[in-house]
Structure formats: structure tokens, C-alpha cells
Amino acid sequence: MAKVSVLNVAVLENPSPFHSPFRFEISFECNEALADDLEWKIIYVGSAESEEFDQILDSVLVGPVPAGRHMFVFQADAPNPSLIPESDAIGVTVVLITCTYHGQEFIRVGYYVNNEYSDPELRENPPLQPDFSQLQRNILASNPRVTRFHINWDNMDRLEDTENQDPALGCGLPLSCTPIKGLGLPGYIPSLLPENSMDCI
Amino acid sequence: MKLLKPTWVNHNGKPIFSVDIHPDGTKFATGGQGQDSGKVVIWNMSPVLQEDDEKDENIPKMLCQMDNHLACVNCVRWSNSGMYLASGGDDKLIMVWKRATYIGPSTVFGSSGKLANVEQWRCVSILRSHSGDVMDVAWSPHDAWLASCSVDNTVVIWNAVKFPEILATLRGHSGLVKGLTWDPVGKYIASQADDRSLKVWRTLDWQLETSITKPFDECGGTTHVLRLSWSPDGHYLVSAHAMNNSGPTAQIIEREGWKTNMDFVGHRKAVTVVKFNPKIFKKKQKNGSSAKPSCPYCCCAVGSKDRSLSVWLTCLKRPLVVIHELFDKSIMDISWTLNGLGILVCSMDGSVAFLDFSQEELGDPLSEEEKSRIHQSTYGKSLAIMTEAQLSTAVIENPEMLKYQRRQQQQQLDQKNAAAREMGPAASVAGVVNGESLEDIRKNLLKKQVETRTADGRRRITPLCIAQLDTGDFSTAFFNSIPLSGSLAGTMLSSHSSPQLLPLDASTPNSFGTSKPSEPVAAAGTRPAGDSVNKDSVNATSTPAALSPSVLTTPSKIEPMKAFDSRFTERSKATPGAPALTSVTPAAVERLKEQNLVVKELRPRDLLESSSDSDEKVPVAKPSSLSKRKLDLEVETVEKKKKGRPRKDSRLMPMSLSVQSPAALTTEKDTVCLSVPAPALKLPMPGPQRAFTLQVSSDPSMYIEVENEVTAVGGVKLSRLKCNREGKEWETVLTSRILTAAGSCDVVCVACEKRMLSVFSTCGRRLLPPILLPSPISTLHCTGSYVMALTAAATLSVWDVHRQVVVVKEESLHSILAGSDMTVSQILLTQHGIPVMNLSDGKAYCFNPSLSTWNLVSDKQDSLAQCADFRSSLPPQDAMLCSGPLAIVQGRASTSGRQAARLFSVPHVVQQETTLAYLESQVAAALTLQSSHEYRHWLLLYARYLVNEGFEYRLREICKDLLGPVHYSTGSQWESTVVTSPAHCLGSQHQ
């Protein structure tokens, strides 16, 4: 079963200007001390059309992780506007927080992000060239989409001799995790969908 | 019998392979297939039991679900203590769950709100050893071991005290092992496998005792499970799928010689599960009928692939009831409620059925003591059949017991060390969290969190630990940490002064009258929460089931199984009117109709049909087969050595009922008591002083002065006692030094050196010749004409000086003080001469002279009081300010219930139950304390609460009790008013 379960992700300073950094306060629980660090990533989906425009905003190691409940703030700089297709600069996109252990992703939290001009006038008549400094980013914090994956939490070498027939020792929790597919980002998401993603209850 | 299929108990249509009812009967677990994983669900029992609760939206049905198993869950089993749940599944794993200490429901991050788990169960151990699907798990008596069996042909015995330690792997089966059962006496474990054998293993050396194959020779095909069961008296082992002349049966195997000449027949397909009722029953004594005591008997439920369920009593030759068409697919598991009157049955079709029997149908269950007496008379004293309390006082009869005790001590030591180790980090974390609120932490988290760079330049954040992993029991630690204000008790005391509170650490006798009583109350209320939780667990684990040496009243011989040994001759006759006891109540019918259920009332004809279904082909051949079998059996038994009484070789188990360290202390002390006489308790003694003065708290105008060693004429040293009351003074002399004194409006008494106790009237007249105490005085106390002396050897005496009778005669405090480092923190003597001891652990006991028992009247850590919410029943004027000994002892602020209501979102039914339990204990405590005022207060509250919540049944009982000539013991002047007022208020509400 999963050694780490995410209890909550609080989106800090939301909404905020487009250029301000992302801040997530993540609390998680670990039921057994981890030998190695967890790796957390924030991925900004530049365009729903292609993975190509994904930006890994930051990646951070978290550790050591003893058994217990922990929290930390994950801060990452805003996405580089030059890497975002102009047509996708305004409107709804997605930001993902993922966590991996030993290179295996076991949780993925997705949030809708809406970018729009705070000024109503600009909203009515948007400039041809998106003006990122005028954009406001609003993360739909109340509606995270969580996908959990079974991974192998145990030591790799131990696995070899004792549990090679049982590679998937992870687990999921009872939760509703409609794949982000449901968000209306058809081009992007299917590739994200792991085979063993949990279904909704 | 009532039958219900709660449709809401389901795994979304997926099969349910296992069901088990929690020992406390409040919940049950199901295990089976989930969406793409195994699934364990914990359900609330009350909506099954009560229709009202089922309809009540506020009462949760599902308490928790765990999808952690990667593949189908085949078995879920609660430990006997109810603390743990073990689940085994196709993922080859056994998971052991424990409830975590959260308060209220919490949602899973990212899920929608209504899927909240009401209770939090956390996997505390994952047991990996099997190389194939785990089919069945079973906790041994007393939870010392956990056994699991698997399709890898093995049975694994786990040390349940020290997971994941494996004690033994039992190899010998050559097929998939699909069922396990422990001998209730703890001597054997039996397993049944697809290899057409049932094996019995000794727990002494984990070797094979016997392998039974005969009844399974004909077994073909496979059943998913083969859950066998051992009868609660230990005499019979009943197998799942066996065959007798091509008919499926459940084979009865006798413990004595493992004989196999009886079976349960009638099912048309293989028997998948057999489950004995945990209770042993005896015939209901009918009024007026001849009081010839009948033999106790057992009750057994059998479920089959033919989708029907049969329930048998071992004293009847035919099943008590057979229910067909209960499910669409095979029955997979059965679980009895602990009271033995209900069963839950689950099926591969994904549904669950509940059967509710009445005592008229099954008989009177024997109490646990009677059951244990039966065990002892049959098997001698062995560990498994003794409660812990008995163990501690038992005489060591065999080396195992000695071994047990030693091991116990070692374990305690280990645990203490472990606890000491754990203290370190816990304390530091507490420092972080206690220093500032979580809010503060969050505000500054970004600034405060430690961020470093790894060698390759990557950011690394050290997460802030906000809580240790809590797998502790569900406790009220949170509430206990709120200091209960003692001010209320203080005000009560000042307004109502006749009962007195005394601090016991009376190193200075002067402090007697002057110390403020509120202080010790507050101190007791603010004891560290952790401490109190542990103390509670002491209470929980050591059941006070002291075995009385009284003569066994029930016949210890168990009625032999009549089941079907005579069925061959009987069947042709098919005596009508035999057992069928099926009666379906109208309510049940209604509910059944809704669910399109068919319940067939079992008539003899039905039985005939059903039983003949399987074996009508060979009605003649049967008798011959029977005799043949018997012959075989005799041959078999010759080979087996005759079994001696289990006491000789009954093996000791390393059992420890999840002992926490204070509990361990208890047992340690108790085990010490085993061999040596009780260690003498020492209470503090007042030292001799030159002079002291004390004010009588019940009468502030009265004070006593003592002057020791006043040299009188001729060099003789005398002690002078002076008493001043409302300006009137008297004086007397005694020949030895006065150690302590006490007074009331009626008497003055002093305890002198040489264990002398003298009693004087209010005018200074000696009332009695000096009383010689059995040991030096520790505390002296007077109320009215009652004098109470607590000696240093912890014996308590109370005398009524006026009537010259003894109320309490040298009663030892050993029973309430023994077992931990508790001390008496306060003493109170009520106006009726009832002594009340407040102990340092927040519990208060009063001695009930008529029963000669110590009764628990108050417990500061009592979670009931904190959960109880009876605001609605409080009279308009806040009558919580009812004063009396109970109020003083408990010293509880009236707001606790409200806090509970606000902070504790418990389901309504739980709230109701706790409130009822709390009110009832208050009424009983007030009655025991003979505090008429408080009795009236609590009884009224209780009655009002019953009315508000509509508990008609209990109300009736109360009214009956009050009207009938029951309560003679309590004061008479208020009796009539108690009767009239609730009768009045009830009467008006009932119409």
C-alpha cells in the first residue's frame, strides 16, 4: 500500500497576477519512514493541444521523511510566457503537481487555471499580442483532480528476489478522480492517463 | 426470527467474500472485490438493527472504506479485543488495521464530500509471507496469534503481539488451504484444504495433531472457501464441505479422539461456511415448569453453495431454521453478534443478510463466567480460557503459567523501554506544535522551512513534521487536555458543607481543615491526557471477572450433539412439530416485501424435502455406511494415543492483550501478588507534632486544638485536646500523643500513638473506650455521627458512633489501589456514612456497605460524560448546580456536554447511547451514594431524556421500578416526590 498519502494541497495567494510565483502548501502523511526523498514537480500545461508546451516550473526534493504528518510550501516561478502559444495564453488551462518516489509517480493533482485580464475593458477587447503583465491567474482551488497510482515503495534490490512477481505494491485511496480528460483537454490528457489509474467510485 | 437484507450494504454489486461483526457490536466489516482492487468496508451496525436509524440521514451507514488491497479481499476478521481488523486477500497480503485518533470525519483529498470516512482506520502492519492468495485469517483466543492460510498450501502463525514476526509456518496440506479455526481453549488450530483433508495442529509445538480425510474422500469440485468452526465449548469441530454417501454435509468432529460419526446434512450443495455462535445456551426456564436444569448446548449456522442457510442447535436433531433463496449466489461467510442473537451472512452475489433471533428461540446464553467455568471443568485451567483478571489471581498450576508470567514481565520491560524511546521525538514535536498554533505555523512555513541544495544543485526541502503518526486508540485525549475547572466543586463545597473533602497527602495534619478543596479537584482534572488514556486502557483490559469460588450451578457437562446421529431411523418418521421456530414479525414482513425476499417457514415437510434432495437416491444404503464408518473410526482411534487433560500439556501462549505500559505495570504487580501475599500498601502517616489546631470544615465555628507532651504533675507527659465551638470550650487529656484529630457537629475523635482511637461527644465526654486500630492511622475523618479511619495499611473502617454499629469493617483499599502507582487524593464521607475515595487517576470509588463492594462512581476521564448531551432534558433553571457528594466527587463543569456536542460530530445514535449510559451511571452512582437530592436530580434528567428521545421501553421499566416496592434503601422523605414528578411529567408526555 502507499506509504505516502497527500492530505491536502492549499493554493496560496490565489488569484494572483500572471507573473507571480505559484505557491502550494502541501500536507501529506507517511506511514513508514522513507529511505529516499520524494520528488515533487509543478508542471504548467501551456497548451491543451500538445505535451510539447508543458513547462516544468520547478522540481524539488523533499526529505528526509519520517513516519508522520508533514507539510511544506512548494513555490515555483511563473511560466515563461514565451513558451506559451499565443492562442492559449488566455482562457482555461491546467497546472499539475506530481510526486514521484524512486522515479515512479504515485500522485498527480491537477487544477484548472483560468487566465484572464483583470481589466474589464481589456477583457472586452483583448489585444492581439497577449499582455501577460495584465493577466490575472485564477486557480480553481476548490476542485482538484487527484489521480493516484500504485507504485512499488520498497527497495529495488529487495524487490528483485522476493517480490518480482508482485511489482505493484502501491495502492490508492478511495477517492473520486475523474481523469483530467473530463476537463475538456482532449489532446493533452490521454497521454497522461496511466493504465492503472483509479476510477471514480 | 426476523430477517433483513440491508441493500445499502454492498460493494457496488461486486462480490462480498467475508463479513465480521465487531466484538462490541456497533459495527461490522465486509471484504471483497472493489473497482479494480480489493475492498474492505466498515459499516455501522445500528442501521441494520434499527429501522429508525436506517432511515435517519444523520446516521452514517458506511464508516470507513479501505481500497488498499491490490486484489480481492477474501477474509476480514476483528481481533477479540476489537482493537484490530485483519484482512487477507488475493494480493497475498494480510493487512492489520487499527483505528486512528482523529476526531470526527475527514474527507479524502480530492474526493467529493460525501465519501468522507466517518472513522479512520489505518493499516498498521502488512504481513508478507504467503506466495499465493490469502484465503482465511483467524485471531487466536486472547489475540496472541494471528493465523492465515493461503492457496500456497501453508498456514502461517503470526505473533500478534509483535507483527510481522512469524512464529510458525504449518506445512502439510497438499492443496489450497481455505479455512481456519482456533480451538477456543487455545490448544489447537484446525485448517481445511482442497486436498480433501482437515488438519488439526497443536499450538504447543505447531506440529500436526491429526489429519482427517475420511469424510472428504468423496469431495469433488471446488468451493471458494472452506470456513470451518470450533464450538465455543471446545467439544466439536465442524468442517465445511464434506460428503456422506454422495450428499454434501458439514462433518462434526469430536475433540475426544477426533471421531467423525456425526454430520449436518440437508444442504444440496457443498457447505462453504460453518460458524458457531459464540455463546453457549441453556434452555429457557419456564415459569412453573419443573426446574430440572437442562444441559447447555451450542448453536451453529451453516451456509452453502446451494444459497441456503441453516441454523442448528446441538440439542435438536433437526435444524432450528433453514432459509432458502436468501441469495442469488453461494454464501461466503457468516458472523454472529457477540450476544449470540444475530447473524450477518454475506454472499458472492454482493449482498448481506441479517438474521435476528430472540432468546425464546435460541435459549438463555450462559454468562462468560459460566462459560469459563465449563471450560475449566472440562479442560482444567489453561491460559486461553481465563480472563486476565483471573490469571493474575490464579494459582500457578503448570509450568506454562509460570512461563507466561515471566514472558509477560519481559514484555512489559520491553514495552516500557520502547515507550521511553518513543517519548523523545514525541516531546520535541509537541514542542513545535504546542508552541504556536497550526495557523501560525502555516503563516511562516515558507520562511521557516529548511531548504538546502543537494550536491547536484537541486533544491531540497525538509518538510515540517506537524504530527507523529497516531495509531492510538480512539480517545478523548483532546477533551482531557481541557482543564476541567474545579471552581464549581469549590462553590458547591462552600455552600453545602456537610460532606468534607480532605487532601490525603496529610504530612501536616494542620492542613486538614484549611486546604481549599477545589485545588485537588482541579489537579485531578488536568492530569496529562496520555496518562489518563493509558489508565483507561488498564480498566478496559483487566476485566473484573473475579472467579467466585461458588459451586458450579450449571451442569458442566455439555449436551452431546444429537444432530444427526439418529437421523437415519428418524427421518422416515419425520416427527411433525419438531423444531421449526420461524416466525416473521409484521414489521419484518414489510421490510422483506420491499426487498422481494422469500423466506420459507420451515415445516417438517420442507425439511424432509430438502434433506431428501441430497440423499434420496440411497436411503437404504445409509445405515450400512454409517456402521462401516464407525468401524473405520475405531481402527483410527486405536492408533491415536488417548488424550490426557489439556492442563498437562496445554501450552502457554505469549499473550498480551495489547498491553500498554501502565497496564503492564498492573499485570506485573498482580503477578507478583500471585505467589507472595499482597504487597502491603503503605499510606502516608501523620507524624507526631507538638501542637496543632484544626478547624472543622462542616462547622466553621468549631475548632480543635491539640497540645502534645504537656507536662503534668509528677513528670508524667500528657496530651491535651481542646475543642472550641461557638465560644463554648471543653478540654480533656489523653495519655499518649495525639497524631491526628477530626470533628463533626456530633463527635470529635482523635487518633493517638499506639494505634489508639478515642471518640468524644460534642461536649467532650468520652463515648467509647479507646479503639485499637489494626495498624497506625493514616487519615481520620468524621461526618455526623460517622467516624472513618483509614489506616496506613490501607484498610478502611467506618463506624456509626451513636448507634454503635460498624458500617465498613476493615475494608482493604487493595482492590482499588492495587495495580498501579495510584494514591488516594481525596476522601469524602457522606452524611449516610458512605466513604468515597478519590484516586489520583481521577477515578472515585465509594464503598457500598450493603453489597460490600467498591463501586466506581466517578471517572474524570470518562468519555461518556464528555460525549453525553442532554441539554434538551435540562430543566429551564439550570439545575446542574445540584449539590451533593456526587457533584463534589465529580466536580464536573456543566458545559462539558455542550463542548462535546459542538466539537464532536458523533452520529446521533452514538450520542444517544452515550447520553443514556452516562445518565444511567449518574443515577446509579447517586443511588449508591445514597444522595437523595442528586438521585432525584439525575433520575428526573434521565426520565426527561428518555421521554424526549422516545425510549418507551426503558421508561416503562423505570416507572415500574419507582412504583413498585423496590427502593427501600434510600431516604424515605423524598421517595414519594420522585415517584410523583416523573410520573407526572411522563404521563403528560405520553398521551
Side-chain angles (χ1 to χ4, degrees), chain B residues 66-376:
Chain B
M66 297 92 96
D67 285 2
N68 303 35
H69 273 283
L70 298 181
C72 184
V73 174
N74 291 315
C75 189
V76 285
R77 292 290 180 258
W78 296 101
S79 65
N80 299 291
S81 67
M83 185 113 66
Y84 298 101
L85 175 72
S87 59
D90 284 354
D91 56 2
K92 305 162 197 169
L93 303 179
I94 298 132
M95 294 191 188
V96 181
W97 306 86
K98 189 177 182 191
R99 183 152 173 200
T101 326
Y102 297 104
I103 290 174
S106 75
T107 53
V108 172
F109 174 61
S111 69
S112 57
K114 64 177 178 150
L115 286 166
N117 283 337
V118 180
E119 291 184 357
Q120 306 295 326
W121 287 81
R122 186 197 296 276
C123 179
V124 289
S125 299
I126 301 178
L127 309 180
R128 300 184 176 96
S129 166
H130 288 293
S131 58
D133 308 2
V134 177
M135 298 308 294
D136 206 4
V137 294
W139 296 86
S140 75
H142 284 293
D143 299 335
W145 303 309
L146 177 70
S148 60
C149 66
S150 160
V151 300
D152 65 6
N153 301 1
T154 65
V155 174
V156 172
I157 311 290
W158 308 85
N159 182 352
V161 187
K162 218 171 129 195
F163 287 127
E165 185 181 296
I166 295 178
L167 294 175
T169 302
L170 314 184
R171 298 173 206 278
H173 277 294
S174 56
L176 324 180
V177 192
K178 292 183 170 176
L180 283 174
T181 184
W182 290 92
D183 163 20
V185 188
K187 202 182 164 192
Y188 302 111
I189 179 170
S191 57
Q192 191 174 352
D194 263 357
D195 61 3
R196 297 178 191 173
S197 79
L198 183 157
K199 296 192 194 296
V200 181
W201 314 78
R202 286 187 296 269
T203 57
L204 178 66
D205 52 3
W206 303 115
Q207 296 303 308
L208 188 66
E209 165 79 19
T210 184
S211 177
I212 295 154
T213 54
K214 206 83 202 152
F216 310 105
D217 281 348
E218 297 174 57
C219 290
T222 51
T223 57
H224 191 90
V225 287
L226 296 167
R227 303 198 208 269
L228 63 175
S229 180
W230 214 304
S231 68
D233 58 32
H235 281 301
Y236 301 100
L237 170 62
V238 177
S239 79
H241 188 34
M243 296 290 269
N244 186 350
N245 271 302
S246 331
T249 62
Q251 184 65 45
I252 299 164
I253 297 152
E254 287 173 62
R255 186 196 193 91
E256 198 62 38
W258 309 115
K259 284 181 287 220
T260 55
N261 37 18
M262 295 183 286
D263 48 16
F264 292 126
V265 294
H267 283 288
R268 279 157 293 181
K269 286 184 180 169
V271 169
T272 48
V273 49
V274 175
K275 200 58 157 292
F276 268 98
N277 192 315
K279 290 281 183 198
I280 301 175
F281 292 92
K282 60 174 187 267
K283 277 257 161 54
K284 198 141 185 96
Q285 293 290 340
K286 278 184 190 120
N287 280 345
S289 74
S290 64
K292 187 180 143 229
S294 67
C295 286
Y297 53 87
C298 298
C299 173
C300 180
V302 178
S304 159
K305 249 177 142 172
D306 71 4
R307 303 174 287 137
S308 64
L309 176 84
S310 57
V311 178
W312 306 73
L313 299 182
T314 53
C315 62
L316 296 178
K317 289 167 187 157
R318 312 220 163 261
L320 183 67
V321 64
V322 178
I323 303 162
H324 296 290
E325 310 288 335
L326 195 53
F327 297 106
D328 297 333
K329 285 181 180 167
S330 168
I331 290 177
M332 297 307 290
D333 202 1
I334 298 174
S335 177
W336 286 90
T337 56
L338 204 64
N339 68 14
L341 294 176
I343 29 178
L344 272 174
V345 188
C346 72
S347 162
M348 189 92 106
D349 71 7
S351 68
V352 163
F354 180 70
L355 277 75
D356 188 18
F357 294 94
S358 69
Q359 276 195 14
E360 283 71 38
E361 289 159 340
L362 296 184
D364 281 338
L366 298 187
S367 67
E368 284 306 304
E369 285 86 70
E370 288 172 298
K371 198 167 132 183
S372 143
R373 255 177 266 162
I374 287 179
H375 280 156
Q376 290 201 16

Side-chain angles (χ1 to χ4, degrees), chain A residues 82-120:
Chain A
S82 61
L83 300 176
I84 298 172
E86 275 174 28
S87 56
D88 292 305
I90 294 157
V92 177
T93 183
V94 164
V95 65
L96 298 168
I97 304 167
T98 71
C99 188
T100 57
Y101 184 66
H102 286 161
Q104 312 161 83
E105 179 176 332
F106 65 91
I107 189 163
R108 166 167 295 212
V109 181
Y111 286 99
Y112 293 105
V113 179
N114 188 26
N115 292 314
E116 62 178 5
Y117 293 108
S118 46
D119 182 354

